[in-house]
Amino acid sequence: MKRVKLLLAGALFSVGLMGLSTGCFNRTAQGNIYVKQEKTKSSDHKDATKADSSKKSHKSSIAVSSSSQTSQSSSSESSTSVSSHISSQASATSTVVVTPPPTISVQSGTNHIASANSYAYSAATVHTEMTGTPTTINHKVVFLTFDDGVNTSMTPRVLSVLQKYGVHATFFIVGNTINPTTAPVLRQEYDSGHGIAIHSFTHQYHFNAPGNSGAALQEYQQTLAAMKNVLGANFDSKVWRYPGGHMSWRGLADSDAKLNAQGITWMDWNAAVGDALGSSGPKTAQAMLQYHAASITAFPQSNVEVVLIHDAVGKELSLAILPQIIQYYQQRQYQFGILS
């Protein structure tokens, strides 16, 4: 019954908010269920890939400098961090001032540093809690999740806001955005105590196609390999998000089973700011905040809120309202967690 309620909530969210009939998500009726269908490849993701790709094509395994690899084996690592100042009107090419980070204590087999243990939550437990089923999470926790990075223009500015407010988030990385240029930003996400999760390698929408059930696991493995080249062989992440979200598609049971067999949890969201909707999405900060408030009511009540935001190139409005989103949850006594 709770699964039926969750599906119904997803359907209500699909058709009830802000007239979402066009844009990045096209919503078409299939029987009595409304399914959110993304374009073959979103323009935001293509912009991010174009902005951050090297002249050579991306490969599933990238090379990083020997000095970076040496630092990964040390229990104390040093890299650059973004400044704590940000202008919501700044262009995507704004210069970011960097300062040295504190000493980092790494740990093996996780998607975050050791100091993040106190606010890291099992993705599987959060997944269950989102359905309204009681779990061991008996207090209010919000998980800010950023999709479609990593890049050198928007991602550092998001990191700066998070640093300013002293909160942490989970970054769902698209594997083919990882290259020698973006590697320091990925490193900074990790070193700053954020969670690192996987959002496929290609960001295409074919995982539910007949005979293609192994593609999700393959793209998970490609992305994890690219992450290990930057963050070290002991890095691991068992958190996955389908492009477009699991709620957007039918026919994912076989794909889910292959991921589950490897201990990988797929994660959707139960709150959003509407920045994935293209031309049909919110056009002002106030409209985006209203969209966020409305989105929360479309899903079963629970102790957790998993908020969908994007750090792709061009998401200036999302960046501008990020402080208000953080304050929204702070004022309601939510703790900020990461997915692990």
Side-chain angles (χ1 to χ4, degrees):
M1 180 60 71
K2 291 183 175 63
R3 176 62 176 170
V4 172
K5 289 180 179 179
L6 183 58
L7 289 173
L8 177 59
L12 291 173
F13 184 56
S14 296
V15 300
L17 300 177
M18 308 299 289
L20 308 179
S21 59
T22 59
C24 186
F25 294 157
N26 290 326
R27 302 171 188 270
T28 57
Q30 296 185 5
N32 292 324
I33 299 177
Y34 283 79
V35 180
K36 179 175 57 183
Q37 294 181 322
E38 285 187 326
K39 297 178 181 178
T40 301
K41 196 164 188 180
S42 70
S43 59
D44 292 321
H45 178 65
K46 288 191 289 186
D47 289 343
T49 302
K50 180 178 178 182
D52 291 302
S53 64
S54 60
K55 293 183 179 179
K56 297 182 180 179
S57 62
H58 293 299
K59 300 179 180 178
S60 60
S61 178
I62 65 168
V64 295
S65 67
S66 59
S67 60
S68 175
Q69 292 173 339
T70 300
S71 66
Q72 292 160 5
S73 62
S74 171
S75 61
S76 296
E77 301 183 356
S78 178
S79 63
T80 59
S81 66
V82 295
S83 69
S84 61
H85 299 288
I86 186 168
S87 170
S88 61
Q89 302 300 320
S91 69
T93 57
S94 297
T95 300
V96 177
V97 179
V98 297
T99 55
T103 300
I104 303 303
S105 177
V106 300
Q107 62 182 348
S108 176
T110 68
N111 69 337
H112 56 81
I113 59 175
S115 62
N117 287 340
S118 61
Y119 53 86
Y121 292 77
S122 160
T125 302
V126 175
H127 184 123
T128 300
E129 181 71 30
M130 286 172 64
T131 68
T133 302
T135 69
T136 55
I137 302 175
N138 55 15
H139 55 281
K140 296 190 294 185
V141 190
V142 60
F143 301 87
L144 303 178
T145 66
F146 292 88
D147 283 13
D148 292 359
V150 59
N151 59 71
T152 60
S153 56
M154 185 57 68
T155 305
R157 296 159 69 194
V158 168
L159 288 171
S160 182
V161 175
L162 296 174
Q163 182 184 41
K164 178 179 179 180
Y165 285 90
V167 300
H168 296 90
T170 305
F171 288 86
F172 283 84
I173 308 296
V174 177
N176 67 13
T177 67
I178 303 172
N179 57 61
T181 301
T182 61
V185 184
L186 176 60
R187 178 89 241 175
Q188 179 59 32
E189 289 177 331
Y190 178 79
D191 287 351
S192 297
H194 303 292
I196 308 299
I198 294 175
H199 194 35
S200 81
F201 190 82
T202 63
H203 204 277
Q204 295 184 9
Y205 311 99
H206 59 277
F207 301 110
N208 62 334
N212 204 32
S213 62
L217 182 58
Q218 180 181 11
E219 293 209 12
Y220 162 86
Q221 292 169 336
Q222 284 180 284
T223 303
L224 182 61
M227 289 175 170
K228 285 177 177 286
N229 281 338
V230 177
L231 302 176
N234 291 329
F235 172 84
D236 196 16
S237 180
K238 298 295 186 183
V239 190
W240 161 275
R241 177 172 284 164
Y242 286 99
H246 192 283
M247 71 180 75
S248 302
W249 316 105
R250 296 175 176 178
L252 287 173
D254 288 345
S255 180
D256 292 345
K258 287 182 171 60
L259 292 170
N260 185 64
Q262 301 297 317
I264 303 162
T265 300
W266 63 260
M267 285 297 307
D268 273 0
W269 56 89
N270 58 359
V273 300
D275 62 355
L277 302 173
S279 61
S280 67
K283 302 296 190 302
T284 67
Q286 185 60 33
M288 187 168 277
L289 292 169
Q290 290 174 347
Y291 183 101
H292 166 259
S295 72
I296 295 172
T297 67
F299 293 88
Q301 282 192 321
S302 72
N303 286 323
V304 302
E305 296 294 344
V306 180
V307 187
L308 174 66
I309 319 176
H310 290 75
D311 63 327
V313 173
K315 296 298 184 182
E316 297 291 335
L317 193 57
S318 303
L319 179 67
I321 62 112
L322 181 55
Q324 291 167 278
I325 293 293
I326 293 171
Q327 291 166 353
Y328 176 93
Y329 288 102
Q330 287 177 330
Q331 291 165 2
R332 288 160 177 78
Q333 287 76 53
Y334 276 81
Q335 296 180 15
F336 286 76
I338 63 172
L339 298 167
S340 179

